[in-house]
Amino acid sequence: MSNDNAYTIKWGIISTGSIASQFVSDLLHASNGVAHAVGSRSQESADAFAQNHGIPHAYATYEELVNDPAVDAVYIGTPHPFHKDNALLALRAGKAVLCEKPFTVNSAELEELISYAREQKLFLMEAMWSRFLPVHAKIREWVAEGRIGEVRLVKGDLGFRADWNPSSRLLDPKLGGGGLLDVGIYPISLASMIFGPHPERIQSTVHIGETGVDEHFSLLLSYGDGKAASINGGVRLKMLEQAYIFGTEGYIVIPDTLVNPRSVELYINDQKVETFKDDRVSHGYAFEAEEVGRCLAEGLTESPTLPLEESLAIIKLLDDIRAQWGLKYPGE
């Protein structure tokens, strides 16, 4: 890394959108990273973003950003179809990469990224921020301790009713629109965290809307030995954003939101026996940023909490689900 203090990562930001804005705001709460530069498709946009967030360097192109020798790691917050090219650009410049979820539109794109990163021994990670939140760490702890016995069922719902805008990133096929890639990945990642990323069987139903993307869907993932995940998601149907993990001795409830939970409850014999509360003041992106810094400080090229093989298996699962639906994006 370029700077003297190996524990302070200088971040370059690709994108000036809302997620990039939240990520940069959260770097103020990260112990080992600072926003050093931002790249946009125009100098005006980069300057405005840099001024709003107190970032010292602003570039009119992504190429200039990744070629800044002071940048250690690049965060990519662009829409899904641009992830592969943006990540490859940063990797080719020798930078560590944290790329928003879903990592890529399909598994072929991700295989290309992983292959290059491994060949060059560069760090690469999907920005599945929920995996690094304290609530999810607590869930892993409770499950590993056997507090709810053997887990048999994961249930996760995540849906909202977006305004009708066919050219929005949520509904436009050219922008990788639809519920599965945008919100479905959250409950799927939760199921993967509990059962692993390789269900034996996928059953699904979907509503494909006017624009040709999935507006809402239901999945039943079977893992063998009676273990299953029931998942519902959508971008044109409001759902309760809750999750449940049922075991033979009790169950765990995420009561508020699956995306960014602040609390989690443990029940045994139908009695609530423990509540874990996360009282952070940040959005929650600081934890994944800190993970990147920790891995780089330790010389790791991927995160043990979210290994590349798991991200790839999840994208392959999304591919398989879309194949059931006959849903392809432009260029596939």
Side-chain angles (χ1 to χ4, degrees):
M1 288 175 291
S2 58
N3 46 337
D4 294 331
N5 182 356
Y7 295 96
T8 301
I9 304 305
K10 287 188 176 177
W11 284 93
I13 312 298
I14 286 184
S15 172
T16 54
S18 60
I19 293 179
S21 182
Q22 290 183 322
F23 179 83
V24 170
S25 297
D26 257 26
L27 281 177
L28 297 173
H29 303 280
S31 61
N32 58 3
V34 293
H36 172 79
V38 61
S40 185
R41 286 170 296 185
S42 75
Q43 191 67 55
E44 185 182 21
S45 172
D47 286 343
F49 190 91
Q51 191 171 1
N52 285 343
H53 292 284
I55 300 174
H57 303 280
Y59 296 111
T61 66
Y62 300 155
E63 286 79 8
E64 288 175 275
L65 172 85
V66 300
N67 288 319
D68 181 332
V71 168
D72 300 309
V74 173
Y75 167 80
I76 294 164
T78 52
H80 329 325
F82 307 110
H83 286 178
K84 188 201 84 166
D85 288 345
N86 296 159
L88 212 46
L89 183 74
L91 289 169
R92 284 179 175 146
K95 307 302 185 186
V97 170
L98 175 66
C99 182
E100 259 312 326
K101 55 83 203 157
F103 223 145
T104 52
V105 167
N106 57 47
S107 58
E109 290 185 347
L110 183 52
E111 282 171 339
E112 190 179 338
L113 288 184
I114 291 174
S115 174
Y116 186 85
R118 285 180 171 164
E119 185 184 296
Q120 301 298 319
K121 297 181 172 56
L122 293 167
F123 181 87
L124 178 64
M125 187 178 101
E126 183 176 20
M128 175 47 73
W129 64 313
S130 58
R131 184 65 66 94
F132 301 95
L133 296 175
V135 160
H136 283 255
K138 180 55 71 174
I139 291 169
R140 291 194 292 273
E141 183 185 306
W142 283 343
V143 169
E145 289 172 352
R147 298 288 297 277
I148 61 169
E150 188 176 3
V151 179
R152 291 288 178 176
L153 177 66
V154 171
K155 185 177 188 306
D157 299 337
L158 185 57
F160 57 90
R161 185 163 174 82
D163 293 336
W164 179 251
N165 178 0
S167 61
S168 72
R169 72 169 187 86
L170 293 172
L171 296 174
D172 188 345
K174 294 195 295 293
L175 296 176
L180 183 67
L181 267 58
D182 192 71
V183 294
I185 196 164
Y186 284 103
I188 288 171
S189 179
L190 177 67
S192 177
M193 185 177 89
I194 301 298
F195 292 131
H198 300 287
E200 292 181 359
R201 196 152 58 104
I202 307 161
Q203 293 163 277
S204 70
T205 184
V206 66
H207 172 65
I208 303 288
E210 283 177 40
T211 63
V213 302
D214 59 300
E215 293 190 358
H216 63 84
F217 64 86
S218 297
L219 305 174
L220 181 62
L221 307 178
S222 305
Y223 297 86
D225 195 26
K227 296 174 181 176
S230 168
I231 290 166
N232 300 287
V235 291
R236 289 280 290 160
L237 188 65
K238 173 62 184 162
M239 302 176 191
L240 297 177
E241 300 185 2
Q242 296 170 335
Y244 303 85
I245 301 163
F246 298 100
T248 52
E249 308 295 328
Y251 56 94
I252 294 167
V253 180
I254 300 177
D256 45 8
T257 169
L258 184 53
V259 175
N260 189 9
R262 301 295 183 116
S263 67
V264 61
E265 300 164 351
L266 176 65
Y267 288 79
I268 302 202
N269 296 326
D270 252 2
Q271 298 295 313
K272 189 179 351 181
V273 296
E274 199 172 328
T275 300
F276 171 80
K277 288 194 182 301
D278 173 9
D279 57 1
R280 64 186 149 88
V281 292
S282 65
H283 292 296
Y285 295 95
F287 300 103
E288 64 181 3
E290 286 188 331
E291 173 72 358
V292 175
R294 184 186 69 78
C295 289
L296 291 179
E298 292 181 15
L300 301 176
T301 54
E302 56 185 282
S303 164
T305 306
L306 186 60
L308 291 172
E309 287 304 322
E310 184 178 359
S311 286
L312 180 59
I314 289 173
I315 297 289
K316 282 181 173 173
L317 176 58
L318 300 183
D319 286 353
D320 291 343
I321 294 165
R322 287 197 294 119
Q324 287 190 359
W325 301 344
L327 172 55
K328 288 191 171 187
Y329 291 109
E332 286 194 303

